[in-house]
Amino acid sequence: MSETQAAGAAPTPATAESTAAPDETHHWWRLIAIWVVLSAIATPLFYYLAGPHMPPGAMTNMAEGARFDFNILMVCAIPVLLAVWIYLLYAILTWRASRGGPEPVAGPYSRGHLGLQVGWIVSSTVLVLFLFGFGTYALVQPGGAGGGQGASPIWTPASKTILPIQVIGQQWKFTYRYPTFGGFETNELVLPNDTSIQFNVTSLDVIHSFWAYQLGVKADANPDYNNVAFTTTQQLGRFTVRCAELCGLWHGAMFNYGVVVTKRQFESWATLTAVRLRHNTALLPPYRLTYTPDANGADGGFYPNNVDPYSKVEMYGAPQGKGAG
Ligand SMILES: [Cu+2]
């Protein structure tokens, strides 16, 4: 704004200010009232209506924990969002310049308002510190966060009986070994309900990520590393497993489905599968927490025992024909 304009506009604010001064608190309390009312409506509306339908659902304690955490974050965020939007809308409607009206001028508060500044810093600090505390608690409380805790987990489930299942990532599929049922390996991930499960996640080649979305588990699958993630099933149904780490050409096709069944169904499935796959299991390397791939297919290696590592026989443990390749 030029000097002449400012000088020309000067008489107007003098008259505006005299009427605006008692109006300031009026605006302030009106804004607070709108904010309190809308927050009191929107926050429980979200929490009780939308909250129970938020992903990833409640199939396991991990998934339910993630959903609860998300809902708490939203409950903290909604009043902040409303404060910004209400103020913005109120300012646009109330303090906008009207055609032919007086030149809009800022009051003395445009130079600084100590109460507002201190209030803003204190309230945002309190909010951030609360979220820090809550986040730390939520990370630890259900037995880790389902993200894998490395080879020696600190937070373990309370349950005495934990079913171990090994997750093996490789380009480009996941397979699962059940060490307590003879160590058979299958591409079906079947889990018993109401059971604490210990996933031992590893890889045979590059880095992958075992992401069982509805289970609330997403754990890195790294070669030569055993990454442990816990979860406790609490609902029957199907779930999706995807690789969540770009791992090569067919990364996008690296997914399958799993299912949570009753304990009895699981027992019979596992027992039958152990019998059905016993010939394959005999060809597998013994169960270990990690496997070192051997491209030359030496004994104990994980590719067919032929000379050409790039033969058409792809699966480790597959019958090793002499003329393969
Ligand atoms: Cu992958």
Side-chain angles (χ1 to χ4, degrees):
M1 185 184 282
S2 74
E3 287 293 318
T4 47
Q5 270 178 316
T12 336
T15 52
E17 236 169 70
S18 56
T19 53
D23 223 30
E24 298 284 331
T25 47
H26 184 61
H27 285 306
W28 184 238
W29 289 116
R30 194 192 282 172
L31 275 168
I32 289 180
I34 297 172
W35 175 68
V36 167
V37 169
L38 285 188
S39 297
I41 294 171
T43 310
L45 215 58
F46 167 81
Y47 190 82
Y48 291 106
L49 285 186
H53 305 287
M54 283 293 135
M59 202 170 213
T60 66
N61 67 331
M62 288 295 160
E64 198 173 12
R67 191 179 69 181
F68 176 74
D69 299 347
F70 176 83
N71 289 343
I72 293 296
L73 292 185
M74 277 302 283
V75 163
C76 296
I78 285 171
V80 177
L81 279 175
L82 284 174
V84 174
W85 288 341
I86 289 168
Y87 183 81
L88 190 67
L89 205 67
Y90 192 89
I92 289 172
L93 292 177
T94 314
W95 296 303
R96 71 181 187 277
S98 48
R99 189 167 292 149
E103 182 80 357
V105 284
Y109 294 152
S110 67
R111 297 196 166 272
H113 185 291
L114 193 65
L116 196 64
Q117 287 161 335
V118 170
W120 183 257
I121 290 170
V122 167
S123 59
S124 56
T125 304
V126 167
L127 194 59
V128 166
L129 286 179
F130 164 75
L131 290 176
F132 169 72
F134 173 75
T136 309
Y137 169 75
L139 202 64
V140 174
Q141 164 273 129
Q149 301 183 48
S152 42
I154 304 171
W155 301 294
T156 51
S159 171
K160 290 274 182 296
T161 53
I162 300 175
L163 175 72
I165 297 174
Q166 183 170 50
V167 177
I168 303 172
Q170 58 189 299
Q171 287 170 324
W172 286 278
K173 69 173 85 175
F174 284 110
T175 54
Y176 310 96
R177 286 191 82 166
Y178 288 76
T180 45
F181 291 87
F184 70 81
E185 181 179 12
T186 169
N187 56 7
E188 296 174 273
L189 181 52
V190 180
L191 309 176
N193 199 12
D194 290 320
T195 307
S196 288
I197 289 151
Q198 172 174 349
F199 289 114
N200 290 82
V201 184
T202 189
S203 165
L204 295 185
D205 40 46
V206 300
I207 57 173
H208 302 270
S209 178
F210 170 65
W211 182 27
Y213 177 64
Q214 291 90 338
L215 301 186
V217 173
K218 187 180 182 202
D220 287 343
N222 296 339
D224 264 331
Y225 194 75
N226 172 41
N227 190 14
V228 178
F230 294 105
T231 198
T232 302
T233 51
Q234 53 188 30
Q235 268 178 13
L236 300 172
R238 282 161 71 78
F239 57 88
T240 322
V241 175
R242 287 184 182 282
C243 180
E245 184 76 58
L246 184 60
C247 60
L249 190 60
W250 295 109
H251 162 71
M254 190 166 165
F255 69 93
N256 63 4
Y257 300 98
V259 64
V260 178
V261 297
T262 64
K263 282 181 178 176
R264 182 185 289 210
Q265 285 171 323
F266 173 78
E267 282 289 331
S268 69
W269 171 83
T271 320
L272 282 174
T273 310
V275 174
R276 187 166 59 82
L277 295 179
R278 64 189 183 282
H279 298 300
N280 288 7
T281 310
L283 294 169
L284 290 178
Y287 179 82
R288 274 186 286 151
L289 293 178
T290 64
Y291 306 92
T292 308
D294 186 341
N296 292 320
D299 292 326
F302 305 109
Y303 292 97
N305 197 8
N306 49 34
V307 183
D308 178 10
Y310 304 106
S311 83
K312 284 175 188 160
V313 186
E314 290 176 327
M315 278 187 66
Y316 80 103
Q320 291 149 22
K322 277 199 179 110

